[in-house]
Amino acid sequence: AYAYEGLVSFKDGAAVPALAESWTISEDGLDIIFNLRVGVKFHDSSDLNADAVITNFNRWFDTANALHGDGVFEAWKNAFGGFKGEVVADGNPASSYDGIEKVNELTVLVHHNMPVDDFLSKISDPAFSIASPAALNAGGFGTADGQDGGTGAYTFKFGDASIDFTPNTGYWDPAA
């Protein structure tokens, strides 16, 4: 159990639900619909919803996005080949990822421009944990000056020379 979680995780070599309770992959492998869990809250008390997921995907993909900051985002580049607007020698997009859209408050549709057979495995990487947009916008995210914007089983606070973890009493999976 962690402080941050992604849409899916991997257990015993298979994708299992995390923040997405289910998903559907189109026959051509270009579209994946994720159905988010109902009632999940970030540690800052804001709701996990489609807009939050879109905010995270947009900050990873778009280097011009204000929330992308000056990060290198190597995990994204390694997983999907590139960023928004980048092309390869033949003029095709460098990234297999093509965008995300809101279907409704708890559903997102991820688009690819080529099939990505191991997409679920790739997004289970902790680098693709979904963070609260409020925490991302507050500044200092990922540093001792930032806010805890996770959804996981533990909340955290930075101490003088430590990080203090506390069980998240509102966690969506009481078994954890």
Side-chain angles (χ1 to χ4, degrees):
Y2 302 99
Y4 287 87
E5 304 171 289
L7 295 176
V8 300
S9 61
F10 252 68
K11 184 176 181 180
D12 300 324
V16 295
L19 295 179
E21 64 183 357
S22 64
W23 52 87
T24 305
I25 302 173
S26 64
E27 282 188 37
D28 64 6
L30 298 179
D31 295 318
I32 300 150
I33 296 172
F34 288 99
N35 300 299
L36 305 176
R37 289 188 184 280
V38 175
V40 174
K41 296 231 179 249
F42 288 102
H43 298 156
D44 63 13
S45 298
S46 61
D47 293 325
L48 170 74
N49 56 32
D51 293 327
V53 173
I54 290 168
T55 296
N56 281 268
F57 272 79
N58 287 342
R59 83 181 179 99
W60 299 323
F61 180 51
D62 186 354
T63 58
N65 184 300
L67 296 176
H68 188 88
D70 58 3
V72 179
F73 291 77
E74 278 298 316
W76 182 272
K77 186 167 185 151
N78 290 337
F80 305 111
F83 299 96
K84 184 176 182 179
E86 293 179 351
V87 295
V88 293
D90 65 4
N92 285 318
S95 179
S96 58
Y97 172 84
D98 193 39
I100 187 169
E101 67 182 85
K102 179 178 180 176
V103 175
N104 61 44
E105 270 310 296
L106 292 173
T107 309
V108 295
L109 173 60
V110 174
H111 298 285
H112 297 283
N113 54 49
M114 63 186 80
V116 181
D117 294 334
D118 57 349
F119 179 71
L120 295 176
S121 173
K122 288 178 178 181
I123 65 162
S124 71
D125 184 316
F128 305 126
S129 294
I130 304 299
S132 160
L136 292 170
N137 280 301
F141 183 75
T143 71
D145 296 327
Q147 296 178 5
D148 174 2
T151 57
Y154 293 92
T155 63
F156 67 90
K157 290 184 182 173
F158 285 96
D160 291 335
S162 65
I163 301 175
D164 299 320
F165 289 91
T166 306
N168 176 6
T169 57
Y171 188 56
W172 58 266
D173 182 5

